[in-house]
Amino acid sequence: MTVAAHPLVVRARELADGLLAPAAERVDQEGVPAGHIEAIRRSGLLGVSAPVAYGGSAAPAAVVRETAEILAGACCSTWFVQTQHHTPVLTLAKSALPVRDRLLGPLARGELLSGVAYAHLRSYPRLPVRVRREADGWSFSGTVPWYTGWGLNDVMLLAGVTEDDEALFAFVDAREQPGLRPSEPMRLAALTASRTVSLDLAGLRVPEAGVALRLPYAQWAAPDRLKTLNANPAVFGITSAALALVAEEYAAALRTRLEEIRRRAYALADHPVPQEHAEERLALRAEAFTLMRTATTAAVVSGGGRAMSLDHRAQRLAREGLFLLVQGQTAESRTAHLSRLADPHDPGR
């Protein structure tokens, strides 16, 4: 079976064409509606990477990437809310702790939607969220700077660092409760629709039964670093959507570059040794960003003055592209990207 013919890819395209893309400009201004999330639940896409034994599809990596491209290109805000769900699923799939049997099935089948609150771990040795041992579990204190999907998610995978320098991940209900208070929804230049808030944690108590992962920080950080080296499929989705707004005589050459960068980036993503070719991975990541910037700029230029209207697709894609420039950013990826931008031979300059 080809990637394009895979049932989940077919469903993603049906969702994109029939629901997400037609409503994307409205969603960008009003927020991701519960109906969009319900449609994704019904599609089976929330279980794309989940084990079959728990109700998921365990789809190949190429299928996972293709569905991400499709959803992001249609409505980046909706894609961003649902993409948070996949890290908790994969975390539980690798866990041997009791919470796996309680939550993996409902998450894999889309009965529950999970968010994530762990990106702040990448700011180590600064510790925005600290975890302390309690008699019957753990206590979380500090601030989660970014949490996406508030009001849409059922649970969240929350992380912090313990006094013993361990990274600890636990599931908690995604609702205001003693020790957990959300901010007002953030007004952002792009993806305000994703219902992003910050979370104030003041001794939030989490029982031991909620813990999904606990290991030395360095042991968690090493594989996490590898995730940020590769190009994000959403970047290719935004680029493709932008090029669809550009006349073919101008878009053709950019589309050829897109296919070449995409091919090389995914070949590296599939490499059996993920820690190899780090510099090449970062270079391709930066090259993908450069092409996305060129494509979204071309879409705005093609739209002329109309592209400045908030109901025009080109300006929305350009703003979403700005968001992807910093989403999942680390010091390492930032340096590689800035080096690319400073290169006088950069074709996007």
Side-chain angles (χ1 to χ4, degrees), residues 239-240 242-244 246-262 264 287 290-292 294-295 298 347:
T239 302
S240 294
L243 291 179
V246 180
E248 185 60 22
E249 62 180 300
Y250 307 112
L254 296 174
R255 194 172 291 111
T256 297
R257 285 173 56 196
L258 169 62
E259 291 306 315
E260 175 61 17
I261 295 170
R262 184 178 184 270
R264 292 165 55 203
E287 194 172 347
T290 296
L291 180 59
M292 178 182 66
T294 300

Side-chain angles (χ1 to χ4, degrees), residues 14-33 35-36 71 73-78 193 310-313 315-316 320:
E14 290 173 348
L15 272 176
D17 295 341
L19 176 65
L20 303 185
E25 281 67 58
R26 175 176 57 80
V27 167
D28 176 62
Q29 296 302 306
E30 299 177 5
V32 174
H36 276 30
L71 296 180
C75 178
C76 197
S77 292
T78 300
L310 289 176
D311 62 1
H312 197 284
R313 184 155 299 181
Q315 57 77 31
R316 173 180 61 81
E320 291 171 347

Side-chain angles (χ1 to χ4, degrees), residues 229-249:
L229 299 181
N230 293 312
N232 185 345
V235 171
F236 299 129
I238 293 292
T239 302
S240 294
L243 291 179
L245 303 179
V246 180
E248 185 60 22
E249 62 180 300

Side-chain angles (χ1 to χ4, degrees), residues 40-346:
I40 290 175
R41 289 182 193 265
R42 293 194 304 266
S43 72
L45 287 166
L46 293 179
V48 62
S49 299
V52 173
Y54 285 83
S57 298
V63 169
V64 176
R65 292 190 296 251
E66 185 74 13
T67 58
E69 286 191 30
I70 293 168
L71 296 180
C75 178
C76 197
S77 292
T78 300
W79 163 79
F80 191 54
V81 170
Q82 67 82 43
T83 202
Q84 314 295 310
H85 180 86
H86 303 297
T87 294
V89 167
L90 292 173
T91 299
L92 284 176
K94 298 174 183 177
S95 177
L97 297 175
V99 71
R100 170 186 171 126
D101 290 331
R102 178 167 64 89
L103 287 180
L104 183 52
L107 292 174
R109 295 187 296 269
E111 296 164 6
L112 295 176
L113 181 70
S114 183
V116 293
Y118 77 90
H120 50 273
L121 290 185
R122 294 173 180 150
S123 65
Y124 186 92
R126 188 169 60 85
L127 301 177
V129 177
R130 297 174 180 268
V131 185
R132 294 185 62 182
R133 187 65 152 152
E134 299 283 348
D136 56 351
W138 301 89
S139 173
F140 286 75
S141 297
T143 301
V144 175
W146 305 91
Y147 179 78
T148 293
W150 186 258
L152 294 171
N153 296 323
D154 301 295
V155 295
M156 72 173 78
L157 183 60
L158 172 65
V161 177
T162 72
E163 294 171 308
D164 295 325
D165 219 27
E166 294 176 312
L168 188 143
F169 290 72
F171 282 92
V172 301
D173 291 339
R175 59 176 176 80
E176 187 168 359
Q177 55 188 288
L180 190 162
R181 183 171 56 86
S183 71
E184 290 299 313
M186 295 182 184
R187 293 295 299 171
L188 306 172
L191 273 71
T192 285
S194 65
R195 305 197 191 190
T196 296
V197 298
S198 63
L199 302 175
D200 179 50
L201 306 175
L204 174 68
R205 302 186 68 142
V206 178
E208 187 67 40
V211 174
L213 180 67
R214 179 184 168 198
L215 75 173
Y217 176 84
Q219 192 175 331
W220 171 82
D224 178 73
R225 168 187 171 271
L226 301 179
K227 298 176 188 176
T228 63
L229 299 181
N230 293 312
N232 185 345
V235 171
F236 299 129
I238 293 292
T239 302
S240 294
L243 291 179
L245 303 179
V246 180
E248 185 60 22
E249 62 180 300
Y250 307 112
L254 296 174
R255 194 172 291 111
T256 297
R257 285 173 56 196
L258 169 62
E259 291 306 315
E260 175 61 17
I261 295 170
R262 184 178 184 270
R263 180 190 64 76
R264 292 165 55 203
Y266 286 170
L268 282 175
D270 290 334
H271 192 281
V273 185
Q275 62 267 33
E276 290 186 356
H277 307 292
E279 289 188 8
E280 185 178 358
R281 292 173 192 268
L282 284 169
L284 278 169
R285 188 178 193 269
E287 194 172 347
F289 281 142
T290 296
L291 180 59
M292 178 182 66
R293 187 176 80 247
T294 300
T296 56
T297 300
V300 170
V301 171
S302 296
R306 293 170 300 169
M308 292 299 100
S309 170
L310 289 176
D311 62 1
H312 197 284
R313 184 155 299 181
Q315 57 77 31
R316 173 180 61 81
L317 291 169
R319 289 186 291 106
E320 291 171 347
L322 286 175
F323 171 81
L324 292 179
L325 294 180
V326 296
Q327 188 253 329
Q329 185 186 67
T330 63
E332 188 176 20
S333 63
R334 181 188 300 113
T335 297
H337 194 181
L338 288 172
S339 296
R340 168 77 186 198
L341 293 172
D343 184 350
H345 300 295
D346 177 356

